[in-house]
Amino acid sequence: MGFPHPSHRQETPLLTRHFGEAEARTLDGWKKRGGYQALEKVLAMTPGEIVDIVKESGLRGRGGAGFPTGLKWSFMKPGDGKPHYLCCNADESEPGTFKDREVMRWTPHALVEGCAIAAYAIGAETTYIYIRGEFTEPLLRMERAVREAYDAGILGANAMGTGKRIDIYVHRGAGAYICGEETALMESLEGRRGNPRIKPPFPAVSGVFGQPTTINNVETLAAVPEILMKGAAWYKAMSLSNPKSTGTKLYSVCGNIRRPGTYEVVMGFPFKDFLHDVCGGALDGRKLKAVIPGGASVPIQTMEEAEATLMDYEGFAAQGSMLGSGGVIVIDDAQSMVAVIARLTRFFAHESCGQCTQCREGTAWTTKIVERIRDGHGTMEDLDTLVEIGENMTGTTICVLSDSCAVPVISGITKFRSEFESLIHGKRVHSVLTAVA
Amino acid sequence: MTKPSVGGLESPDLSSHDATAHESAPHVPVFAGAAREELDQLLTRYPTKMAALLPALWIVQRERGWVSEDSMAEVSDLLDLTPAYVKGVVTFYTMYHQHPVGKYFIQVCTTSPCGICGAEEVVKSLLRHTGTGDLGLTSRDGKFTVIEVECLGACGFATPVMINEEFIESVTPEKVPGILEDLA
Ligand SMILES: Cc1cc2nc3c(=O)[nH]c(=O)nc-3n(C[C@H](O)[C@H](O)[C@H](O)COP(=O)(O)O)c2cc1C
Ligand code: FES
């Protein structure tokens, strides 16, 4: 089932099918549901065979960038005499995104098993699951699951009696969106400020503690046991659109929508049906106005674009946005787009690590100007200035947080220009998003 | 042997949450007894001592309610770092308190997804009912501090509110008085 609503008949629940079942959280309950069979199966295979299956399945990273997972794993060179690490990115701080939280709350063993399989496939002796500090419940659930797995001999020096060492540790973050960026996460894990690193070198060459490292999102790793149990062909067949986007995807849906929650559909599912049918559509008496479909970092879609979208990596791109993290923010006609965008730029300004000038200055100035427009003190020139600053913030920094701040501003001004102009021309637009006085 | 906790989460002991602690009192070490054992265990998880810094700071905050300069100095000694380095790290992350806070530290998400579902009204209700007056201030009785925070990763359950280590979903202004009563 989905969460917190029962599964919709149009969903394809794989990772979400045990959400809401408290028993699935325990090792026994998880084993009853087929847990750890995939791990047992793969420990009899060679790492190379596992990587090939994951490559063949077409699984792509669910953390935002959509990089092919099998290919990423193939960059690791087990047996080169160095220590190797796996990092699981459970920092989930992208506004609109809360799917990894549900995976960890309801099916923590799916993630432990996925980590163990990935660790074996890339030759990592040690795995760190880096969980954002605010996720107190997921932290406890994951720590409990890891402990159970150690106590049962699934993890440790002699994992599942194979003589192979698989260690998994849960590591708590301390409040910083930027630590979800992969190299910032590694810095943070090492006990430093979470400043992203210049790439190259890429993590597979020099990652955490300067050693070869693979980093994957929670949802990516949780999908791995399913793929190895049922095969690459089975996973690949789950696509309504094109062979580049395969399997199922979790979407966390929030904002002005009747049934917010986490849903799972196959790649290529029509976004129109998803929004209006699966998620229940607009609240009474309201109309949907815009959607940010992949977390706050992706371009805003008009309803026209959204309703023409097939939900996969290429489908969102073809309709002016990106799949991103799958965090769907729905905005209705009671909201001011300018107020929504102003609050998003404030988010990015708050979360900028401050290393790069374009980002540190750009996020702050962008926020000042958008807020000024929101408050009725803007000028038409401000719109040009915002676009100019945004262009300066794109492709010019160590990581893409800077680009992400420009995205809602530029897509907002392009697609909802009239709302900016009405405010500039002195017409107040109703909004619940006003600053606390 | 004590099992190391995840970020100091296993035994949230609010009685030790001392909002009246002063820097001038002599520093009583945090890392003695069980806390020291916990840290020693944590050190086995990482190839460097520095990597145990965030977990160590979590233990400090659990034991003392906040992270004082003296505690930072203690941690820096234990992990072979300088106090200035530790302070640099502490100040980067939003969750370490650099000052004593109320017994109940209340964080409300107001980022856009929650904002368009009425988070600002929840903030106002919390400020009114806790008597803190403004964001970041502590109520006179030392009980409450309310702050606004960025996305808590629970946007479908607007508005999420964290009170110390407890996560409360779907808070509305009307629910605030009841939630606060349950604390007392
Ligand atoms: C500012 C920023 C924040 C990010 N936050 C997260 C996050 O919270 N969780 C995540 O999995 N990936 C996040 N990413 C993406 C990661 O850098 C990385 O691409 C991902 O963890 C790789 O895993 P995947 O290939 O399984 O998707 C973020 C990227 C940036 C630039
Ligand atoms: S925006 Fe409030 S929890 Fe994500």
Side-chain angles (χ1 to χ4, degrees):
Chain A
M1 68 181 269
F3 193 77
H5 313 286
S7 273
H8 190 276
R9 67 194 147 71
Q10 299 204 67
E11 281 187 80
T12 307
L14 291 178
L15 304 194
T16 57
R17 73 178 180 278
H18 301 302
F19 283 13
E21 298 167 21
E23 194 202 38
R25 289 168 165 161
T26 64
L27 180 58
D28 288 345
W30 192 243
K31 281 188 158 171
K32 250 195 245 170
R33 290 164 176 78
Y36 292 105
Q37 288 174 13
L39 178 60
E40 197 172 349
K41 182 173 164 186
V42 306
L43 287 175
M45 296 163 56
T46 66
E49 284 168 341
I50 302 169
V51 173
D52 285 343
I53 292 173
V54 174
K55 261 191 193 166
E56 182 56 28
S57 75
L59 175 66
R60 291 166 67 178
R62 303 297 195 230
F67 193 84
T69 306
L71 183 62
K72 188 186 271 190
W73 290 8
S74 72
F75 298 149
M76 298 291 278
K77 301 280 172 267
D80 59 5
K82 295 180 183 169
H84 301 81
Y85 293 97
L86 172 68
C87 291
C88 170
N89 191 338
D91 193 57
E92 193 165 63
S93 313
E94 174 84 12
T97 316
F98 51 98
K99 63 187 176 77
D100 298 341
R101 170 178 187 256
E102 304 301 355
V103 171
M104 293 187 283
R105 285 173 73 205
W106 295 109
T107 59
H109 281 286
L111 183 56
V112 172
E113 187 174 4
C115 287
I117 294 172
Y120 174 64
I122 61 169
E125 303 75 17
T126 311
T127 298
Y128 297 106
I129 303 177
Y130 183 105
I131 305 180
R132 65 176 295 180
E134 294 87 344
F135 274 180
T136 47
E137 189 193 338
L139 276 156
L140 287 179
R141 302 254 176 246
M142 287 314 305
E143 177 68 4
R144 247 174 239 166
V146 167
R147 249 184 235 170
E148 276 186 310
Y150 269 104
D151 291 346
I154 293 168
L155 301 175
N158 182 17
M160 302 198 72
T162 57
K164 292 170 178 124
R165 172 174 278 286
I166 303 179
D167 277 322
I168 298 182
Y169 303 115
V170 175
H171 190 92
R172 185 181 189 183
Y177 164 68
I178 192 60
C179 291
E181 194 282 335
E182 55 189 25
T183 59
L185 184 148
M186 291 170 196
E187 288 283 299
S188 178
L189 192 48
E190 290 178 12
R192 303 173 198 273
R193 295 164 69 95
N195 291 337
R197 300 173 179 169
I198 292 172
K199 292 186 270 190
F202 290 96
V205 174
S206 175
V208 74
F209 306 115
Q211 303 298 340
T213 304
T214 291
I215 179 161
N216 277 126
N217 171 259
V218 169
E219 184 188 344
T220 313
L221 290 167
V224 163
E226 296 279 343
I227 293 171
L228 285 150
M229 265 330 275
K230 300 188 187 131
W234 163 83
Y235 194 76
K236 232 165 113 171
M238 282 188 293
S239 170
L240 300 172
S241 43
N242 79 76
K244 285 196 217 146
S245 291
T246 62
T248 60
K249 174 79 189 86
L250 302 193
Y251 294 90
S252 50
V253 184
C254 63
N256 310 127
I257 188 89
R258 191 178 299 271
R259 284 196 296 273
T262 300
Y263 298 91
E264 184 171 16
V265 292
V266 289
M267 288 291 181
F269 193 85
F271 202 23
K272 186 176 181 183
D273 296 351
F274 182 79
L275 291 169
H276 295 292
D277 196 3
V278 177
C279 304
L283 301 172
D284 286 338
R286 308 253 195 104
K287 254 187 85 187
L288 303 189
K289 176 160 74 175
V291 181
I292 307 179
S297 299
V298 308
I300 305 172
Q301 283 186 312
T302 62
M303 283 318 289
E304 249 168 43
E305 289 173 321
E307 290 177 351
T309 300
L310 293 180
M311 302 169 77
D312 66 17
Y313 293 100
E314 294 69 30
F316 280 108
Q319 291 300 328
S321 190
M322 276 155 63
L323 186 149
S325 63
V328 179
I329 308 168
V330 184
I331 302 159
D332 72 16
D333 59 354
Q335 315 307 328
S336 150
M337 289 308 291
V338 181
V340 171
I341 293 165
R343 190 61 188 80
L344 285 181
T345 61
R346 178 162 284 279
F347 166 83
F348 288 112
H350 183 263
E351 301 298 334
S352 171
C353 81
Q355 279 190 109
C356 308
T357 312
Q358 292 89 332
C359 180
R360 185 182 61 244
E361 297 295 317
T363 54
W365 280 105
T366 299
T367 305
K368 265 189 201 172
I369 299 172
V370 182
E371 288 183 349
R372 172 162 90 205
I373 299 173
R374 177 198 67 195
D375 297 339
H377 309 300
T379 65
M380 287 302 286
E381 270 180 347
D382 282 344
L383 297 183
D384 299 333
T385 311
L386 282 173
V387 172
E388 196 183 317
I389 296 175
E391 281 165 0
N392 240 320
M393 291 169 70
T394 304
T396 53
T397 48
I398 294 175
C399 87
V400 297
L401 186 145
S402 176
D403 310 49
S404 299
C405 178
V407 160
V409 178
I410 294 184
S411 62
I413 292 180
T414 313
K415 298 177 188 178
F416 296 91
R417 192 175 178 93
S418 65
E419 290 202 26
F420 285 82
E421 289 181 351
S422 326
L423 282 167
I424 289 167
H425 295 129
K427 294 188 210 104
R428 302 264 333 165
V429 176
H430 167 74
S431 165
V432 295
L433 245 187
T434 45
V436 178
Chain B
M1 196 191 307
T2 22
K3 292 237 173 78
S5 66
V6 189
L9 263 180
E10 282 286 305
S11 49
D13 178 8
L14 295 176
S15 59
S16 64
H17 203 91
D18 186 1
T20 56
H22 289 296
E23 287 276 353
S24 51
H27 180 68
V28 180
V30 176
F31 293 95
R36 180 60 200 252
E37 250 180 67
E38 196 179 332
L39 179 65
D40 288 342
Q41 267 285 302
L42 282 166
L43 283 165
T44 65
R45 298 178 167 195
Y46 310 99
T48 65
K49 278 188 168 183
M50 190 197 275
L53 178 52
L54 266 61
L57 293 169
W58 276 120
I59 295 174
V60 169
Q61 186 148 305
R62 181 192 70 205
E63 297 296 323
R64 297 292 155 88
W66 65 298
V67 183
S68 68
E69 301 253 349
D70 285 340
S71 298
M72 291 183 216
E74 186 190 348
V75 169
S76 68
D77 264 356
L78 288 168
L79 301 182
D80 297 336
L81 304 166
T82 65
Y85 177 85
V86 172
K87 187 162 189 177
V89 172
V90 168
T91 53
F92 185 86
Y93 297 94
T94 55
M95 293 185 78
Y96 297 123
H97 306 316
Q98 295 163 58
H99 306 279
V101 295
K103 179 174 175 194
Y104 299 109
F105 186 73
I106 304 178
Q107 311 184 53
V108 194
C109 170
T110 58
T111 309
S112 303
C114 287
I116 60 176
C117 297
E120 301 293 359
E121 295 306 317
V122 176
V123 172
K124 284 182 196 161
S125 180
L126 278 164
L127 288 178
R128 194 164 55 240
H129 288 100
T130 54
T132 50
D134 207 347
L135 293 168
L137 301 182
T138 299
S139 57
R140 268 168 205 269
D141 56 8
K143 256 182 152 172
F144 300 110
T145 309
V146 182
I147 66 161
E148 274 185 7
V149 291
E150 299 296 345
C151 180
L152 285 170
C155 334
F157 305 91
T159 296
V161 171
M162 268 191 90
I163 304 185
N164 297 338
E165 302 284 30
E166 197 193 344
F167 210 101
I168 309 172
E169 295 171 348
S170 309
V171 176
T172 57
E174 298 74 38
K175 289 188 195 165
V176 164
I179 291 170
L180 296 177
E181 259 164 48
D182 288 348
L183 294 175

